[in-house]
Amino acid sequence: AKDSGRGHHQFSTPGMADHAMASLQLQRELHTAIAENQFVLHYQPVVQMADGTLAGFEALVRWQHPRRGLLAPDEFIAFAETHGFISPIGRWVMREACRQLKAWHDTGLPQVPVAVNLSAFEFRQRDVAGEIAAVLAETGLQPQFLEVELTETVLMQQSEQVLQTLQAIKALGVGIAIDDFGTGYSSLSYLKRYPLDKLKIDRSFVLDTPDSSDDVAIVTAIIELGRSLKLRTVAEGVELPAQQALLTQLRCDLAQGYGIARPMDALQARAWLAQRQQS
Ligand code: C2E
Ligand code: CA
Ligand code: CA
Ligand code: CA
């Protein structure tokens, strides 16, 4: 809208000021949120495809905002990453997930692992392996009950540092999963470079199955790829019985999605875990 001339200029200036104000306010609020610990974890079950038994939980962060209510990660994680807040949030998530699982283990509930998401920013900025080791020691959670989920953005960096960090995490006995598989880059060379355990098929590929034959083909190929590379495959975003049937038929190892269970707060997740014990 070049011809809008001054009008456009006058319109955009306060818009930008508003934006800067909103950004400053969000930064202030995140600062407080970290200081006052306004975050909570929700837990989403991951089940074995073959028999529906619980295979573990994924920990998903939420922000209990004093005015705006419970905020989903999509509303603050990207901002936290670019404004220097992701490390304290990530550290809290890791510690809280391990503390919670250890507490459940100690009360005699079924011992299942928990997966924690790590963003590319966190991976670059911190000694992640060292911090994980410290959190495991502090909480007493055994390493085989922790898994980290990384996106392809991290794995695409052909760096010695990424390799060393992943090897160090692996050496601790902590699992490593690739998150949102298929949405990143087209290169698959990282699959053989790094010590990975699991491949999580992005929800976007599962969404239109079984109707879309293209998506069925993609999901089939990813599961085959995982099997050949001895990686466990997890289908994300499983909502329909027909999708569960397809994935079972394709011998996908694990499934996660609203059709199985939604992410739930710690109390509900505990009840879910306790129920599993009886069956
Ligand atoms: P993700 O790691 O791919 O997590 C799965 C997301 O899909 C979750 O959204 C979950 O609620 C949602 N989901 C699960 N099953 C279904 C389904 O059947 N249908 C649909 N439509 N959605 C489903 P959530 O909790 O809003 O998290 C969004 C993203 O935020 C996560 O995607 C992850 O990338 C990021 N995130 C969450 N927690 C953390 C964290 O502690 N640290 C970091 N760095 N990122 C996090
Ligand atoms: Ca994830
Ligand atoms: Ca995912
Ligand atoms: Ca994601």
Side-chain angles (χ1 to χ4, degrees):
K2 248 188 182 160
D3 57 354
S4 59
R6 278 189 63 193
H8 178 72
H9 181 72
Q10 283 173 345
F11 177 76
S12 66
T13 304
M16 282 165 68
D18 284 352
H19 184 78
M21 288 276 284
S23 169
L24 270 179
Q25 171 154 2
L26 191 52
Q27 288 180 59
R28 265 198 303 271
E29 290 179 346
L30 269 172
H31 193 81
T32 307
I34 290 160
E36 297 182 358
N37 207 354
Q38 295 172 355
F39 300 99
V40 291
L41 290 186
H42 281 195
Y43 299 87
Q44 187 176 32
V46 179
V47 300
Q48 304 277 359
M49 201 73 253
D51 59 8
T53 55
L54 183 65
F57 287 109
E58 176 174 3
L60 297 157
V61 71
R62 275 98 182 85
W63 177 6
Q64 186 65 66
H65 191 283
R67 280 178 299 103
R68 294 160 64 200
L70 198 65
L71 301 184
D74 291 341
E75 296 183 74
F76 64 91
I77 287 291
F79 185 90
E81 286 174 343
T82 51
H83 291 80
F85 293 100
I86 197 64
S87 281
I89 297 173
R91 276 194 209 99
W92 179 82
V93 168
M94 178 71 66
R95 182 170 295 113
E96 175 60 14
C98 292
R99 186 203 63 74
Q100 182 62 85
L101 265 284
K102 174 64 174 161
W104 286 337
H105 289 184
D106 286 348
T107 54
L109 290 159
Q111 302 204 346
V112 296
V114 68
V116 170
N117 293 282
L118 284 179
S119 72
F121 282 83
E122 299 178 72
F123 215 81
R124 252 175 263 142
Q125 289 166 5
R126 294 155 43 190
D127 168 21
V128 181
E131 285 178 18
I132 293 172
V135 168
L136 290 173
E138 177 194 319
T139 60
L141 185 73
Q142 291 170 280
Q144 70 268 29
F145 294 115
L146 178 65
E147 186 173 87
V148 293
E149 298 193 0
L150 309 167
T151 59
E152 290 170 298
T153 317
V154 175
L155 303 173
M156 280 306 297
Q157 306 163 2
Q158 293 238 18
S159 82
E160 193 57 27
Q161 191 234 329
V162 169
L163 181 62
Q164 279 172 8
T165 303
L166 291 179
Q167 283 170 342
I169 291 172
K170 183 85 180 173
L172 291 171
V174 170
I176 304 170
I178 315 173
D179 207 356
D180 305 342
F181 182 78
T183 59
Y185 298 79
S186 55
S187 167
L188 294 175
S189 61
Y190 69 80
L191 287 174
K192 59 177 186 182
R193 192 160 59 228
Y194 297 128
L196 308 166
D197 301 293
K198 223 178 244 178
L199 197 156
K200 299 190 79 172
I201 307 167
D202 191 67
R203 180 168 84 232
S204 60
F205 299 119
V206 177
L207 187 67
D208 293 324
T209 62
D211 289 349
S212 156
S213 55
D214 285 349
D215 286 326
V216 171
I218 292 171
V219 168
T220 305
I222 297 176
I223 293 170
E224 274 306 319
L225 179 68
R227 200 173 4 257
S228 317
L229 294 170
K230 304 206 161 46
L231 299 171
R232 309 239 291 153
T233 46
V234 190
E236 297 195 284
V238 178
E239 297 190 357
L240 309 171
Q243 292 167 341
Q244 292 192 44
L246 172 76
L247 293 158
T248 307
Q249 187 201 322
L250 294 173
R251 292 191 293 136
C252 183
D253 297 302
L254 304 157
Q256 178 179 0
Y258 293 171
I260 295 150
R262 289 187 174 249
M264 43 200 155
D265 66 29
L267 269 176
Q268 292 172 297
R270 189 193 188 288
W272 218 83
L273 196 55
Q275 229 170 32
R276 291 277 142 166
Q277 193 175 29
Q278 286 151 20
S279 60

